[in-house]
Amino acid sequence: MDLALAVREPLPAEPLPLPQQAPHLLETLRTQHPGTYRFRSTLDARLQAAATTLVRERGAALARQDIHNAAALIVDHQSFEVLAYVGNNEWSVNNERGHAVDLIRRPRSTGSILKPFLYAAMLDAGEILPGTLVADVPTQYGGYMPENFDHGYRGAVPAEVALAQSLNVPSVRMLRQHGVQRFYEYLRQFGMSTLTRKPDDYGLTLILGGAEATLRDVAAMYANMADIARKDGPAAPLNYRRLKLLADGDTRGGKVAEISPGAAWLTLRALLEVARPNEEGHWKSFASSRRIAWKTGTSWGLRDAWAVGNTTRHTVAVWAGNASGEGRPGLTGATAAAPILFDLFNRLEPAGWFNPPVAHLKEVEVCANDGYLANGNCEIERQWAPRDSHFDQISPHNIRVHLDRTRRQRVDSGCERVAHMVQADWFVLPPGPEFYYRRHHGDYKALPPYRSDCAGSGPSRAPIEFLYPTAGTRIYIPMDLAETKSRVVFEAVHRERESTLHWHLDDAYIGSTRTFHQRALDIPVGTHSVTVVDPQGNRLSRQFEVLAQER
């Protein structure tokens, strides 16, 4: 009887595998809370499963390019609850690809992902308005020479466009204007916990990936920006909030926000114009498209790819790369991280767009062509600015000139009767930015020259500018591989394309250039001056110092 019953009883089924819905988060929590084995998280089971699958599938495609790791976070920035936490695209302790590492917690080079916070800081400080032109020309500070990703220059671009296009040179120039120490403290106040060195150790590279950040910190910073941009009530101290991973967790960060709702909203508005990848690039053509403010970042050497975006409800943050730190061709924020970002957003409920926090904004009248305060010599437009900012710079690029009746030459009262003069408003950039700006703007009109019989007593606009050296430059000239001292290349530009420049070093003539004004010089140690003179007698001098080689 017992045998018959035993034979009829079905064999027990194979044990089901334990669920692995958020293995990296579980290991992180176990490390942080030893002795605890059960955690009540804020994760949304549906979103967590969808995000895990999506990152795994995208990770498989990236692996074919030798990019083996990816991580993602989805945050509800109204409650600050983390809804999805994918610490890596796979969970494994048996391979050499670092799939057991929770990359959400690992500091990685930031690339350009911090640029929006500098933009917001400068808006609040009254140092820029959204349309203020920022120079985009060859730039060198103490041997550091930043370059744009495309290695080109645009002469001058509005600050909001420089942010949307993630231009490196304008960003470095803006950081130098704002101050590294100031921005460093701003980032720490914002919740960036990985700034462990002194500000001077990062220097101007702070804005281009010279610092490291965790995906968790970056997600929290963008979530706070979106949360603050929604505030439109009476002015009151706002506190930064922390991400909430555990159901009984606390979001109170304890630090007073240094960003205003006006600056946060203006920053997100600029990030709405960042060009999207692949089929997402045509989003403006469809009424059903989601409005997403987003930013990418790519570290030096193509080692880290970032993409972070905001809607009015959610913040999504993505990192892709190799846990080992190996760089790979094609490993950029736009190509590796952004597709994951937009796939994740497509799994979320559609959200509207941020209403302007009008209680924290004001309108100012600016010149439409340069974004500085209107001076009466330009076409005027109105722009939003943070309510408590105090931008006070009058347009330096719009001047009133007096022309002869042909409108081709400038005149003054010493050579022309006032009744015969024609007044005109003219947009004029300095020679350096102008040299590159007019390559991209076919409608740019150079300032007309003075008529030959005129002394030129009108508004002064020097026709020459040095691109290098800048004022006070200190130069170290290294030895090349043949143990021969290298030469330093100086460069100038002239408003007249075909003009000739005569070069002098310490008042000694060293040669002339035409059209392209570059000179490679062998200069001894010490303080020197370089001078250029054009055929009309216009001259410009620049002092610099050549440093001795260290023994």
Side-chain angles (χ1 to χ4, degrees):
M1 186 67 174
D2 290 344
L3 175 61
L5 289 173
V7 170
R8 293 180 62 184
E9 185 177 354
L11 293 173
E14 181 181 357
L16 295 174
L18 291 173
Q20 294 281 359
Q21 294 178 324
H24 299 93
L25 175 59
L26 181 59
E27 289 302 313
T28 292
L29 291 174
R30 283 175 176 170
T31 302
Q32 295 173 345
H33 305 276
T36 303
Y37 302 99
R38 183 182 293 272
F39 301 93
R40 242 181 111 235
S41 77
T42 60
L43 301 186
D44 179 300
R46 179 189 63 82
L47 272 181
Q48 178 67 23
T52 299
T53 300
L54 192 151
V55 174
R56 183 189 302 121
E57 291 173 351
R58 284 287 187 178
L62 290 173
R64 292 193 285 272
Q65 305 173 49
D66 283 331
I67 302 169
H68 297 286
N69 304 98
L73 276 172
I74 299 177
V75 178
D76 180 336
H77 55 239
Q78 294 184 12
S79 65
F80 270 67
E81 293 180 344
V82 176
L83 304 180
Y85 187 111
V86 185
N88 214 315
N89 55 304
E90 296 285 349
W91 168 250
S92 172
V93 295
N94 299 320
N95 62 35
E96 299 178 356
R97 300 301 186 187
H99 286 140
V101 178
D102 182 358
L103 290 166
I104 288 174
R105 298 175 57 243
R106 300 297 178 182
R108 307 293 301 208
S109 173
T110 55
S112 298
I113 211 70
L114 301 178
K115 288 176 181 176
F117 301 97
L118 175 61
Y119 179 81
M122 295 185 72
L123 285 172
D124 272 332
E127 294 168 328
I128 58 170
L129 294 172
T132 303
L133 286 184
V134 182
D136 182 20
V137 297
T139 299
Q140 189 170 116
Y141 298 118
Y144 175 54
M145 190 170 182
E147 289 187 328
N148 294 321
F149 193 78
D150 63 0
H151 304 293
Y153 302 97
R154 292 147 185 81
V157 291
E160 60 184 354
V161 173
L163 174 60
Q165 297 184 2
S166 198
L167 299 178
N168 292 337
V169 173
S171 297
V172 170
R173 296 177 74 97
M174 289 166 69
L175 179 57
R176 188 168 188 266
Q177 177 187 350
H178 185 71
V180 172
Q181 170 83 40
R182 230 169 133 196
F183 186 52
Y184 172 94
E185 296 297 340
Y186 185 82
L187 292 174
R188 292 186 65 182
Q189 187 79 359
F190 228 116
M192 190 169 168
S193 62
T194 50
L195 293 173
T196 56
R197 294 181 279 150
K198 295 179 179 178
D200 288 346
D201 287 348
Y202 298 104
L204 294 173
T205 67
L206 180 59
I207 197 64
L208 298 184
E212 299 80 33
T214 66
L215 189 65
R216 178 170 177 164
D217 280 356
V218 170
M221 293 165 72
Y222 275 79
N224 271 288
M225 181 178 290
D227 180 49
I228 292 170
R230 291 187 293 108
K231 309 296 186 185
D232 195 24
L238 299 171
N239 288 347
Y240 292 119
R241 300 168 69 186
R242 296 183 300 185
L243 299 186
K244 184 177 179 180
L245 271 167
L246 297 177
D248 57 354
D250 189 354
T251 66
R252 289 177 295 180
K255 294 182 178 180
V256 176
E258 292 191 357
I259 181 175
S260 71
W265 180 81
L266 287 168
T267 301
L268 294 177
R269 187 183 69 172
L271 295 178
L272 191 63
E273 299 303 318
V274 176
R276 300 187 187 183
N278 305 324
E279 64 274 7
E280 289 284 343
H282 303 289
W283 70 275
K284 288 186 178 181
S285 301
F286 303 96
S288 60
S289 295
R290 300 167 187 251
R291 303 186 76 181
I292 300 170
W294 73 293
K295 182 74 184 74
T296 61
T298 304
S299 68
W300 186 85
L302 305 179
R303 292 178 170 88
D304 304 277
W306 302 79
V308 188
N310 289 314
T311 63
T312 52
R313 183 65 186 268
H314 297 104
T315 296
V316 177
V318 176
W319 176 90
N322 288 309
S324 62
E326 296 176 80
R328 283 289 181 268
L331 179 55
T332 68
T335 58
I340 301 175
L341 177 89
F342 286 101
D343 280 351
L344 290 172
F345 269 119
N346 288 334
R347 300 298 194 277
L348 299 171
E349 294 179 3
W353 186 240
F354 298 86
N355 293 320
V358 292
H360 302 278
L361 293 167
K362 63 183 178 183
E363 280 192 318
V364 293
E365 290 188 346
V366 301
C367 288
N369 52 19
D370 72 358
Y372 285 83
L373 297 182
N375 61 0
N377 301 327
C378 63
E379 179 184 343
I380 295 174
E381 71 176 19
R382 300 183 69 83
Q383 280 191 357
W384 287 113
R387 188 196 61 189
D388 296 326
S389 65
H390 300 286
F391 184 84
D392 60 359
Q393 300 176 59
I394 304 296
S395 173
H397 305 122
N398 289 278
I399 63 174
R400 183 154 295 168
V401 297
H402 303 290
L403 307 175
D404 62 13
R405 288 179 172 178
T406 68
R407 294 178 178 266
R408 295 178 181 175
Q409 294 178 309
R410 282 187 289 166
V411 294
D412 56 35
S413 59
C415 61
E416 182 64 87
R417 294 172 59 184
V418 174
H420 293 169
M421 294 181 186
V422 177
Q423 287 191 342
D425 295 330
W426 217 276
F427 174 59
V428 186
L429 290 173
E434 180 186 84
F435 179 77
Y436 296 96
Y437 185 88
R438 60 187 179 189
R439 295 181 181 181
H440 298 271
H441 298 82
D443 57 345
Y444 180 83
K445 297 179 180 179
L447 189 65
Y450 273 102
R451 205 168 64 191
S452 59
D453 60 331
C454 294
S457 60
S460 176
R461 286 293 185 272
I464 311 171
E465 185 173 344
F466 278 110
L467 295 180
Y468 188 78
T470 54
T473 294
R474 304 178 73 201
I475 303 169
Y476 173 75
I477 306 177
M479 305 291 286
D480 61 22
L481 295 177
E483 294 297 317
T484 302
K485 185 180 177 184
S486 301
R487 293 189 168 203
V488 60
V489 178
F490 286 176
E491 184 174 7
V493 292
H494 196 285
R495 231 182 259 287
E496 301 296 328
R497 295 188 182 186
E498 301 301 320
S499 183
T500 298
L501 288 181
H502 307 291
W503 292 72
H504 301 77
L505 181 64
D506 299 329
D507 297 326
Y509 174 72
I510 54 174
S512 301
T513 55
R514 182 179 175 86
T515 306
F516 300 103
H517 305 292
Q518 294 182 334
R519 294 291 300 184
L521 305 176
D522 180 6
I523 309 172
V525 172
T527 301
H528 303 274
S529 67
V530 60
T531 303
V532 288
V533 185
D534 70 6
Q536 289 73 41
N538 297 300
R539 59 189 292 125
L540 185 65
S541 296
R542 183 63 47 83
Q543 283 199 333
F544 62 95
E545 180 183 1
V546 175
L547 304 177
Q549 297 183 28
E550 296 182 0
R551 297 291 182 182

